[in-house]
Structure formats: C-alpha cells, structure tokens
Amino acid sequence: MGQYLVRRLLISIPTLLVISLVVFAILELSPADPVGNLPLTIPPEVREQIREAMGVNDPFLVKFAKWLRQFMVNEPLNIFEEITGLNFAPPLSLAQEDLISTGEEGYGELASSLSADIQSTGRSVILDGQAQELFRSDRQFFLEDSSNSPLFLNEFANGTVGRELSNDNIDVPEGELLPLHKSRLRYLSWQTRSPIIDLVIERTPQTLWVVGLSYLAAIFVAVPIGVIQAYRQYSNFDRFSTVFATVGFSVPTFFIGLLFIYFFSVQLGWFPSIYDTTHVVTDLDSFLFQMRQSIMPVTVLALFYMALLSRHTRSSMLENLKLDYVRTARSKGIAERRVVGHHALRNSLIPVVTLIALGIPGVFQGAIITEQIFRVNGLGQLLIIAIQGGDLPTVQTLTFIFAVLNVFFNIVADVLYAVLDPRIRYT
Amino acid sequence: MKPLFRTSRSLTRPEESGEFSASPRTLSGDAWRQFRKHKLAMGSMGVLLLVVLLVLAGPLVWHTDPEYIDIIAAYSGMTAEHPFGTDNLGRDTLARTIWGGRVSLAIGLTAMVIAMSVGTVVGCVAGYFRRLDGLLMRITDMFLSLPTLPLLLVITLLFREPLRKAFGPEVGIFVLIVVVIGMLGWMPTARLVRGEVLTIKEREFVSAALSIGSDDRVILRSHILPNVLSPVIVAASFSMAGAIITESALSFLGLGFPPDFPTWGRLLFDGKDYLTLTPALVFWPGLMISLTVLCINFIGDGLRDALDPQLRK
C-alpha cells in the first residue's frame, strides 16, 4: 500500500508539471502587456527598461523555472506561515550587485539608488531619509512597479519591499527600522496590490462553507435515495427519482439559482437573495441567519451532485443486489435490513466513495457560478473579478489552485479505491 | 434438416404471404425499434424537434427584429405584441430567444463534433497502435486533470481580442468557444473508444482482415470504426448537452459573446438584473436551455439502451 502511494504520488509530479506549463504558457502567450497599466507619463524607453528588469524578455524556460519556484516552493511556504503564524524565512542576505544591476537610468536609477540605501539587517531593512523621500515622492510609481513585477522583485529585494509597501504603513520616521516579517517573494495581485495568497486565505472559508455544506447535503440525500431506488427498482419512487435526477443535472445551476431567487426571495421573501458577506456568527440568532442565507446557494450547488450521486448509488447497488453473496446472506436468514444496509450497501459504496472524492474539485468549480449568482465572496468570485479586471497573476494562481485540487483528489480517489476494495491489489 | 432455432416470427411471415417482402432486420432498425419503446426518449425527441423547428423556422413566422429598440415598450410583460415580454431597451424577448437558440444549438453541435472527432481519433489510434498507447493515454489523463471551467474562462479572456481581429467579433468568439469547449471535452470519449478498440481488434474479423493483407487504415476505417460508433453516438448526445450548458455558463458569467449578440446564456445574464421587474426575461431563455439539455440527455439515455445489444430484449 505504502509503495503504491509513493508510486502514485510520483506519477502526479509530471502531471502537475505539465499542468503548470499549460497554465503558465496560456498566460505567457497571451497578448497582455505586464507594464500596460503603468502611468502613461513613463517614457517608452523607461518602460522598456522596466520590462527588462522584470524579466519580461527572459527566455521562456527561465521564466517558467522562476514561476515554478514561486508556485511550488515560495507560495506554499507563505500559506503555511500564514496559517501557523510561524516564520522560518531565511534572513535577508542581498548581494549588493544583484540590486544595482537592474538598470542605468530612469527606473533603474530609482531602483539602484534605493537598493543602495537599503541595508538589510536580519529581518529588517533600514531606510534612510533619501530612500523614504523616494518612496513618498514616487510612491505611486514604485508601488505600481513592484506589484507589477513579481519576478523583478525576486531580484530586487526578495519581495520584502513590495510586501511592506503594500501595507500602507510606510510612513516610518527617518532612520527607523522598517519591520519585515516576510523576506520571501510574494505574488501580488494587480488589482488590489496585496499578496494573492492573502486574498485566497481570506476568501477560502466562505467557499469551503458553501462547498462543504452542499456536498454533505448532496451525499446525505443522494445515497439513501439511490439505495431505495435500487431496492425498489421500477417502482414509482424509482421512476420519479430517475427522471428527477436527469432534470437535476440538465437544468443549469444558474437558471435554478435565478428561479430560487425569484420565488423564495422576491415572491415569498423567505431567504435573502444576496449573501451578506460581512455577517459574523456570534450567537444563536446570528447562526440561524447564517443558515438562512446559506440555504439557497447550498441547495443550488447540491442539486447537481445529488442527481449525479443518486444515479451512481442506484446502479452500483443494483449490481450488488444481484450477486451471490446477497442471496447467501438472505438464505442464512439474516434480516433484510441488515442484508441491504450492511452487506450490499457497504460494497456498493466503494465506487460511490471514489466518485465523491473525484467530484470535490468539480464542486469547487461549480461554486464559481453559484457564488456569482448569490454574491458570495469566495474563491470563485475572486476568479471572476480577476478575470474581469484582467488581473493575470490572480487568475493564474486560482487556475493553478483548481488544477492542484484536481490532481490531489484524483490521487485521493485512487488511494481510497485501493484501501476500500480488498480485491484490488496494486503492486 | 430442420434449423435448430426457429423462433423469430419474421422467418415465418414472408412464407405465409408467399413472398419475401419484409425488409431484412438491420442493426439500426433494431436500435430504432428499441428506442421507440423508451417513452421519455421519444417524447424528448418530439420536444427537441419542436425547439429546433422554433429556432430555425421561427424568424419566418415571427418577424420582429431582435435588435429593434423600442424604449416605450421596455419591461413589457407577456402581451400579445410581445409574448415573452421585452427587456430594458424594449427589445422583443421572443425574437431574441429564437436567434439566441440558433447560436446555442450551433455551438453545442459544433463543439460536440470537435470533441467526438478528436476523442474518436485519439481513442482509435491509442487502442490500435500499441506504441502510441502509453503516450496518448498520458496526454488524455493530463487533459482530464485540467480544471475545465477556470481554464475556459482564462482562455476566452486572453484570446478574445486576437480572434476578434482575425475573424470579426461574432465569428471569432464562436470559433474560440467552440474549439475550447471541444478541446476540453474529448477525453472521456477517447478513453471509451480506446477500451472498445482494444477488445475489437482481438476479434476474428480483424484477424481475417489482417490475413488478407488489409492495411491498418482500412482495418481502422471499415472494421473497427463502425463497431465503436454506438458508444460514440451515446457519448455525443451527452457531450452536446454539456457543451450547451458550458456555453450558457460562460455567457452567464458575462464572458461569452458580445452584449448585442443574444445567446440563451447571455439573455439570462442580461435579464438577471431585472428579475423583479420582468421575470419573463430570465424565464424563457432559461426554460429553453433546460428543455433542450433535458431532452438531449433523455435521448442519450434512450440511445444507450437502444444501442447496447446486451440490454436489448
């Protein structure tokens, strides 16, 4: 088993690499200009220098390697530190020539004068008056650039400056220490100027809440329905549920969502049509409100998977009920309840459990649409906002996260299958 | 000598009538006979034909221009003049639904054809040529672990402009959406076809064809392909339903066709902000999507039962 797990994990590495390449290449081949939203006052030759400094003109493979390092090493570490509160970033050690080599005039000059004035002492950077003056006078300019150029930052100050500056607390008195608790490169959003990982962490709970609740609801409704359907094959209940299931995954979620809003919010006024994202659960009342506002998004998202899972439970159960061991159990005089609920169900659930694992990335993707209908500020909404605003780094990160979810739950499904079904032996 | 089995009525009937007038039973005839027993699938076929008729022949009967703006009649409910109501600019929803249906159905059909062609070719080649099998299946797995919807959104965002320049605003987006949906949807078919080809190529008729010196192309085209066709047909119906939903979802997120170009999803997207004023704006296009997809899915179910010889009674 352990050997299988290791092998399975090893196989997923090339998959992940190719997916990264695809995600990276799509954005790399796109005609978007990374310095496109800099102020128009910047002369073209400076613009060209900025591109040069950002590494826009680097060979494709160099850029991809840097990107990989960022996504496979830096960002996971950032997430880990963010969640645990630990900090094991290496102390800042910047070679002076790295900093100065970025250019001659214009932006390069700014960068080099600034870097010359930045002395790193452990986790802190001292800014003298000149550097702060530069920050203040050219703040917009500097911020724009630093957040527009993740790869440039890597060469510039390992991301530290960009991180601190985006926090709006740069008005430090002259000569004082600017505390830096991150000395690792962070991928910044073009829209909000903040690290994308922070945005992701901020929005994950809402998505998890909606996705988790609806998936649980779908499982707990679909499995019993599927079992009863199979047990009473061709009964009215079976017929009705089969048709209902087909309706469930034929009617698009956005249409069901709008119908729900129209009937339950507009006409009946039972549930709020817009998810209140600022709502905080403190007591029973606020918890009830949280449930009330979650009902519609959760139901809409759950319906599709309910239909899918009940179908599969039914067919898997039907297959098992025909098998000899069920007949044997019955002939031994075991109560029908136990035969169905214990003997047949447990075997029928093996493929269903795998399917449940495989479906999880799909629910996250389904949440993109559901969150858009009910204005839930989750990951899906972040993706849509980023796409509408042309915020390529955020789009790239989120697409990559969705891809990682896919790969991860593929592994989970395979391993679950191997664990649950003793007939399957992987060597 | 008496034949061992003489159960079929079709054998005796022509003898009684004195001539062999009954046409021979064919595979497709059998499938059709089986399909007709599936009441839901037959009903769906009827409804789908109605939808297609409405969409294709609708403009001949309903002359209203879908782009005609009549501000005075804006937010009209369902009246004789505007059976499906009007939108915020007073454009007629019935006319827009008809034209939108053309686009949605065309996209579903084209994306399905692309997905099925790629899937069948990849599946046949992978199943038949052992040397290419590993590589092609790895590629298929890779595509399967791509996140469909996010990628779709990203690609339409990034390549909208260049394609618009190359083909014009509408055709450009059409090509983009169709190709992307097709290229992200061929994998299940490829796996299915590969599995079928793997078993079929061990059968006697393939060995026979090989022994008389047929080359691989002939064997693939005239011996293997016809035999994998039935699962492909079933997959095609589900693929088309999926493509229609995907395109609508894309338009619903505001990332599909340009605003003045109605598709069913786009109509939903435009109508959702006026839900309290005129729910008809959302209701009719949504109903059309749902009906079409539902019917195609039911037809797919019926086809699966009809084309699977093991299920045939």
Side-chain angles (χ1 to χ4, degrees), chain B residues 145-163:
Chain B
S145 40
L146 289 174
T148 320
L149 189 56
L151 260 193
L152 208 63
L153 294 172
V154 172
I155 297 173
T156 42
L157 163 79
L158 295 175
F159 296 95
R160 178 184 299 263
E161 281 310 314
L163 276 168

Side-chain angles (χ1 to χ4, degrees), chain A residues 397-413:
Chain A
T397 313
L398 285 169
T399 314
F400 188 70
I401 290 177
F402 281 113
V404 170
L405 279 178
N406 264 357
V407 174
F408 177 73
F409 282 103
N410 265 330
I411 300 177
V412 171

Side-chain angles (χ1 to χ4, degrees), chain A residues 42-57:
Chain A
I42 300 173
E45 62 271 15
V46 178
R47 214 175 264 269
E48 196 41 53
Q49 281 167 1
I50 296 174
R51 290 156 153 279
E52 189 62 43
M54 286 165 82
V56 175
N57 302 332

